[in-house]
Amino acid sequence: MSDSGCLTAIPPALPWASRLLAVPALPGAPEDWISDLRKMLPAVAAARLTAQSMITWASDESGEFTGEWLLRRLSPIGLLVKNDAGLIELTKEAEGWLSEGGEEFLIGLIHSRIRFVGEALSEICAGARTHEELLDRAKSRYGVGWTSLDQVRRRTAWLRVGGFVERWSHHEVVPTARGRAFLEKLEIVDPASLPHAAAEDQVVTEIPPASGVIADILNSLDDEKLGARKRVIGFLPAGREGETVYESLRRLTTFFSPSIEREEYQRICSAELGLSKSSAETALAALRSLGLVEQVGLDRFAPTPCAQLWLESSEPLDLIRIIHAHILMFGELVTLLPRPTDVGGLMSAVQAALGGDSPQRSEIGVRLRLLSSCGLLVRVSHTSYMATPLGRALVDELPCLQSGADAAPTPESSLVSVHSPTQAAVDELRAASVDSRDPKRFESAVHTALRLLGFGVRHLGGPGRTDILLSVWLGPGKQRRITVEVKSSGSGQVLEGAISFDAVEEHRVRHDADRAVIIGPSFPDGRLRKWAQQRNVCLIDVPTLRRYLELNEVAPLAPSALAGIFDIETAAPETAWDGAVRRQILMRHVVATLWREANDDREVARSGGMLDVTALRYLLRDKLDPDPEEIQEVLGFLASPMMQTVRRKADKYYPLESPEITASKLRALGVESGGRSITPGTSETGEQDGLLLDLEPPNVADEEKVPLGFETTPPRVDAAAVRAWAAKAGVHVRDKGRLPSSVIKRYLDRRE
C-alpha cells in the first residue's frame, strides 16, 4: 500500500456542516474495497450506465447492482456523478485517483466529504482505541447522533484498508506510523468550533425578566390555556436578503405601528418585500396567530399591546414569550432538544407529547427557525438542532405543557373513544409485538389493524407464503397488492438477523404484489433501514401504525388515498390525513358557531341569528384561521339535500337543527339501510368483516384462493356438514364463525 509516485494532492475538506454523516460500505470484505474500486470505476466509465442499468461488482460473488445503487454508494465519497444526460460518470477526483492517486488521496477524499473520518483517526491517535470509545467521542465532542457502532466500524474499516490503523481485536484498533504521518496532512475540525460546542460554552449571566402586559399574559397561562394555543402559524415571508426571521418579523410588525389600513399594508408589502396581495394577506394571518397584530377597526390593524412593548424594547426574548403564549408546542421544543437531534426524531417526540394535536413537520420547521434566530436553539447540521443554555434558562421560566396528558382536549382527540375498536387494536398491537412466544398473535393484531384502515386483508402465513396479503382497491378493475411480513421481538426491536430480504422478495413475486412491507415493534437505524430502502421494502413500526389508526378513526380515508403509507418514496405519509382532519374540525366549529349565534338573543336582534362567510371566518380566526373557500365548502355540504343542516338566505346561513342532531346524521351516513356498518368492524360472530373483493393472482395454490370480503355461508348449505367434510378432506376451517366461500365452493363441487 505505497503512495510512492503519487502526485495528487489531498482534496481540501468541505465545511463541517456540508459534510455527510454516513460513510458507505462496499460489497465484499473490506480488504478488497480498494482493489475492487480500481476495477469497478473503469468499468463504469466504459459502460455508459443509467440509473436502471445493471452492472456486476468486481467480485462476481457479490452479485449485480443497478446504476442507481452504485451511484448512492460512490457519489457521497466523490467518485461518481450523474450528468445532465442521465448517465453515470466518473468525477475528476476519481479519474485522478485512478491515474496517479494512492490510498492517502482516496481516504482524504472520503474525509473531505464525510464527517468524523480524519477526526476518527485523530481520536484513535489520542488514545480512543475501541469502537465504543470512538462512538462516545463522536457523540460528545462532534455532536453526531448515532445510536449504534455501525458508522464507527465503517470508518475504521476504511482507515484500516488504507493502512492507517491496525485491528488488534474485533473492537480495538491502533494507529500505524503511516496513519500518524497521514493525520498531519489532514484538515481536522476543532470540536470546540462546532455549533453544539459553542452553544455549550455559552454563559448565561442574567435573563431580562418579562414586564408589563407580556408578564401578565404569561402569568395567566394555565394548563387549559396552554393546551388551547393555536396549532398553525402559517406563512412568514423571508424579508430582505440577509435578514433573519426575527428581523423580518420585527420589520413586518413595525409596518402596523401605530395602525394601518389593510390596503396600505398590502401596498407596503409589495413595495418593500415584493409580496403579492395574497401573500401579504397570508402573512397578516400569521402575525395575528403569533399574537403580534390585532384588528382595531373594520379594515384597520395595529400591533397588540404585547407586540408594541417588544418593538420598544427590541428584546428577542420578549418575542419568544409572546409567541409561546399564543402558539402550541413552541417553548416546549427547547425542552425536547437537550442534545443534537434531527427533525425526524423531534417530530416523534412532539407526536408522543401531543398525539393527534401535533403540528405538521412544516410548522415545526417554522418554530425551529424562530427559536434559532433568537438564540434559543443552535443548528448543528442541515437537519439537526439542540438547545442553547440561553434557551434552557428561558424555558425554565416559562409555563409549559409537561406532557400530552396536560393538554386540553382538542377536537381531534375528543373524537377518539378510549373504548373504540381502534384503541383496542392499538393496545393489542403493543402487547403482541413483544410477545415472542406467540408470533401468530402479532400477525392477528396486524391483520386487525390493517382491516380497520379499510384495506382488504388475508392472513396467510406458512412456508413459502407471506404472513398477510393486502389489497388496495384503486378503482374499477384497478387494485394494488402488497405483501406484509410481520416480525415480533421480545426486545422491542427487530434486528438484522430476523429478516431475510431475499425471502421477502420471493413472497412479493409469488403473490404478484407491487410492494413489500415489514411491520415490527421498532427497527434500529443503520444498515437495516438502508438495506430495506435498497430493496424497496417499507418498514413500519408499531408507533407509526398506531398513529395511522388514530388518524384514520378521526378522519377515515379511502384505502386508495392511504396507499402511500406503504411507499418508501412518500416523505411524510401522515400528511394524507391533514386535509380531512382540518375539514372535520372546521365543520364542528361551523356547526357549533351557527347554533350558538342563532340562540344568542343579542345576535338574533341584531342580525336575525344568521352569519355570512366573512363573519364565520372572523369568529373562527383564533381557532383555525380558515380561508373563505374552506368555510364555503363546509356550508355547501351542510346545506345539501342529504344533510339539510343549515339553510341559506341571501348570502347568510342559519341552522335548522342542533349540533347533536347533525352529529347523529353524520354517524348515520356510516350505516347501511340493513344496519351493517360499512366501516370494517366486528361481525356478529366476532370475526372481522372486510369490504374489498379480490381476484387471485395466477399460479396461487387452491388453499390461498380465499376472496377478500364478507365470508358468508349460503342458506342452502349446512355449516356442520361443510365442517365435517373439511375435517375428512384435511382442509383447515375454524370451529366457529363464518366459513370461507372458497371452502363452501369446494364442498359443493365435490358433492355434485
Side-chain angles (χ1 to χ4, degrees):
M1 295 184 224
S2 172
D3 278 304
S4 59
C6 172
L7 303 177
T8 305
I10 296 173
L14 296 174
W16 184 262
S18 300
R19 290 196 251 172
L20 301 176
L21 272 173
V23 64
L26 302 183
E31 289 75 15
D32 298 328
W33 286 356
I34 291 181
S35 60
D36 283 353
L37 280 175
R38 289 197 179 277
K39 298 174 186 175
M40 283 300 303
L41 292 177
V44 171
R48 294 179 60 82
L49 289 177
T50 65
Q52 291 74 37
S53 302
M54 300 297 296
I55 189 169
T56 302
W57 189 253
S59 51
D60 292 341
E61 62 271 13
S62 296
E64 281 192 323
F65 300 94
T66 64
E68 182 66 30
W69 182 92
L70 201 63
L71 189 67
R72 287 201 301 267
R73 284 294 181 279
L74 301 184
S75 64
I77 58 178
L79 296 177
L80 292 182
V81 68
K82 185 189 291 186
N83 64 22
D84 294 338
L87 297 177
I88 298 172
E89 58 185 25
L90 271 58
T91 63
K92 66 180 186 299
E93 289 84 3
E95 293 173 346
W97 176 62
L98 287 174
S99 63
E100 54 185 86
E103 290 81 7
E104 283 194 355
F105 178 83
L106 177 62
I107 304 304
L109 178 63
I110 297 174
H111 163 74
S112 72
R113 285 160 169 75
I114 306 291
R115 296 184 193 181
F116 199 67
V117 175
E119 290 75 17
L121 178 59
S122 174
E123 295 297 335
I124 292 169
C125 291
R129 302 298 172 81
T130 68
H131 289 136
E132 289 78 8
E133 289 172 337
L134 282 172
L135 177 61
D136 180 68
R137 296 199 185 186
K139 293 166 65 175
S140 62
R141 304 192 68 201
Y142 297 89
V144 303
W146 300 329
T147 58
S148 73
L149 295 171
D150 177 60
Q151 285 296 326
V152 171
R153 289 194 178 108
R154 293 188 187 191
R155 283 158 171 78
T156 59
W158 279 110
L159 292 170
R160 182 163 53 84
V161 300
F164 305 121
V165 301
E166 292 179 347
R167 185 170 64 184
W168 279 9
S169 68
H170 182 64
H171 293 287
E172 189 175 9
V173 292
V174 295
T176 63
R178 191 163 179 257
R180 293 184 184 277
F182 177 51
L183 181 61
E184 298 297 321
K185 304 177 184 180
L186 296 177
E187 299 176 54
I188 303 299
V189 71
D190 179 7
S193 69
L194 297 178
H196 74 282
E200 289 295 344
D201 292 340
Q202 183 185 51
V203 177
V204 180
T205 56
E206 185 178 355
I207 293 179
S211 61
V213 288
I214 297 178
D216 293 340
I217 194 172
L218 290 175
N219 291 333
S220 71
L221 292 176
D222 54 22
D223 287 346
E224 182 177 357
K225 290 181 179 179
L226 286 167
R229 289 174 296 173
K230 296 186 183 75
R231 175 175 171 268
V232 176
I233 295 175
F235 166 72
L236 293 178
R240 294 177 177 175
E241 185 176 357
E243 280 188 342
T244 66
V245 66
Y246 171 80
E247 294 163 339
S248 176
L249 269 181
R250 185 170 58 181
R251 177 181 298 279
L252 276 170
T253 309
T254 304
F255 288 166
F256 293 89
S257 183
S259 66
I260 192 173
E261 293 288 338
R262 186 192 299 268
E263 187 174 339
E264 177 64 10
Y265 158 72
Q266 293 170 352
R267 186 195 66 77
I268 293 176
C269 283
S270 175
E272 297 271 337
L273 304 176
L275 296 180
S276 65
K277 180 179 178 180
S278 61
S279 295
E281 278 298 300
T282 308
L284 173 57
L287 292 171
R288 296 175 70 182
S289 295
L290 294 171
L292 300 177
V293 172
E294 62 183 355
Q295 190 167 2
V296 295
L298 179 61
D299 231 9
R300 195 168 191 83
F301 300 87
T304 62
C306 287
Q308 191 63 49
L309 188 60
W310 161 57
L311 291 176
E312 293 169 3
S313 70
S314 291
E315 173 54 61
L317 299 186
D318 279 343
L319 174 64
I320 296 299
R321 292 170 174 131
I322 296 169
I323 297 175
H324 177 76
H326 291 84
I327 298 299
L328 184 70
M329 190 52 68
F330 187 65
E332 290 85 355
L333 288 181
V334 177
T335 66
L336 298 178
L337 294 166
R339 61 187 61 85
T341 305
D342 63 27
V343 178
L346 178 61
M347 285 300 302
S348 297
V350 170
Q351 290 162 3
L354 293 182
D357 204 33
S358 301
Q360 298 179 29
R361 189 185 183 104
S362 59
E363 279 290 322
I364 293 296
V366 175
R367 289 160 168 79
L368 292 172
R369 290 194 295 275
L370 281 167
L371 291 164
S372 299
S373 70
C374 295
L376 274 68
L377 297 179
V378 62
R379 191 171 185 173
V380 179
S381 69
H382 292 298
T383 60
S384 62
Y385 296 79
M386 72 173 291
T388 64
L390 175 64
R392 292 193 290 270
L394 177 64
V395 171
D396 284 343
E397 299 179 0
L398 294 177
C400 294
L401 285 175
Q402 299 303 311
S403 67
D406 294 330
T410 62
E412 297 99 320
S413 61
S414 64
L415 289 172
V416 182
S417 167
V418 295
H419 303 296
S420 68
T422 293
Q423 188 58 54
V426 168
D427 292 342
E428 177 60 11
L429 278 172
R430 288 170 174 158
S433 65
V434 293
D435 186 0
S436 56
R437 297 171 299 176
D438 185 6
K440 295 294 182 183
R441 179 186 177 190
F442 189 36
E443 292 177 16
S444 297
V446 171
H447 177 271
T448 299
L450 295 175
R451 278 203 182 278
L452 285 172
L453 288 174
F455 297 113
V457 188
R458 181 185 303 111
H459 188 179
L460 296 178
R465 303 198 298 182
T466 188
D467 294 326
I468 292 173
L469 183 60
L470 183 148
S471 175
V472 185
W473 191 84
L474 303 177
K478 297 180 181 179
Q479 291 193 6
R480 285 187 65 185
R481 289 179 170 278
I482 297 168
T483 55
V484 180
E485 310 296 333
V486 180
K487 302 292 182 183
S488 60
S489 171
S491 67
Q493 193 170 70
V494 180
L495 302 178
E496 298 170 8
I499 296 175
S500 168
F501 285 102
D502 289 338
V504 171
E505 177 63 11
E506 288 175 8
H507 293 169
R508 186 194 68 78
V509 173
R510 173 179 173 79
H511 295 290
D512 195 26
D514 68 348
R515 176 72 71 217
V517 177
I518 301 175
I519 297 178
S522 68
F523 301 93
D525 293 328
R527 289 189 301 181
L528 180 59
R529 290 189 178 275
K530 292 178 181 178
W531 288 343
Q533 189 169 25
Q534 293 164 11
R535 298 294 193 99
N536 207 23
V537 173
C538 177
L539 301 180
I540 298 179
D541 55 32
V542 166
T544 300
L545 185 54
R546 180 212 71 195
R547 179 78 173 133
Y548 295 161
L549 287 166
E550 292 173 346
L551 284 169
N552 210 53
E553 183 169 34
V554 172
L557 296 180
S560 56
L562 297 182
I565 68 176
F566 302 116
D567 295 334
I568 62 173
E569 300 87 357
T570 304
E574 294 182 6
T575 59
W577 282 275
D578 285 348
V581 169
R582 180 174 174 84
R583 283 191 294 272
Q584 286 209 14
I585 297 170
L586 179 59
M587 185 182 301
R588 289 164 60 94
H589 284 305
V590 167
V591 169
T593 303
L594 286 172
W595 182 253
R596 183 184 66 246
E597 298 299 307
N599 287 275
D600 185 306
D601 292 340
R602 289 177 300 177
E603 186 64 28
V604 171
R606 190 181 70 83
S607 64
M610 296 182 288
L611 299 174
D612 60 14
V613 171
T614 302
L616 278 167
R617 185 186 183 196
Y618 179 79
L619 291 170
L620 298 177
R621 70 192 187 283
D622 290 337
K623 296 181 174 67
L624 289 171
D625 195 27
D627 293 330
E629 294 79 10
E630 292 181 286
I631 298 174
Q632 192 64 65
E633 186 179 87
V634 168
L635 290 170
F637 171 72
L638 294 173
S640 67
M642 177 178 289
M643 289 298 297
Q644 298 185 47
T645 295
V646 304
R647 182 164 292 166
R648 180 174 182 173
K649 186 174 182 180
D651 62 343
K652 295 185 176 182
Y653 294 83
Y654 61 94
L656 298 175
E657 61 196 20
S658 70
E660 290 77 16
I661 295 176
T662 302
S664 297
K665 283 183 177 180
L666 291 170
R667 284 193 294 268
L669 290 177
V671 180
E672 294 180 331
S673 58
R676 184 187 298 275
S677 170
I678 65 171
T679 302
T682 305
S683 69
E684 298 89 338
T685 62
E687 290 186 286
Q688 290 291 321
D689 288 331
L691 291 177
L692 298 180
L693 297 179
D694 192 24
L695 297 177
E696 282 299 326
N699 302 321
V700 178
D702 287 343
E703 292 80 13
E704 296 180 23
K705 295 184 178 179
V706 182
L708 300 177
F710 295 118
E711 298 175 351
T712 58
T713 304
R716 61 192 178 95
V717 175
D718 182 356
V722 176
R723 287 190 169 89
W725 165 81
K728 293 181 180 179
V731 178
H732 175 71
V733 295
R734 299 185 183 95
D735 294 335
K736 297 180 180 179
R738 294 173 178 174
L739 292 166
S741 56
S742 62
V743 174
I744 297 172
K745 184 177 184 302
R746 290 175 60 185
Y747 167 75
L748 293 174
D749 290 344
R750 282 165 170 74
R751 190 178 65 173
E752 293 173 358

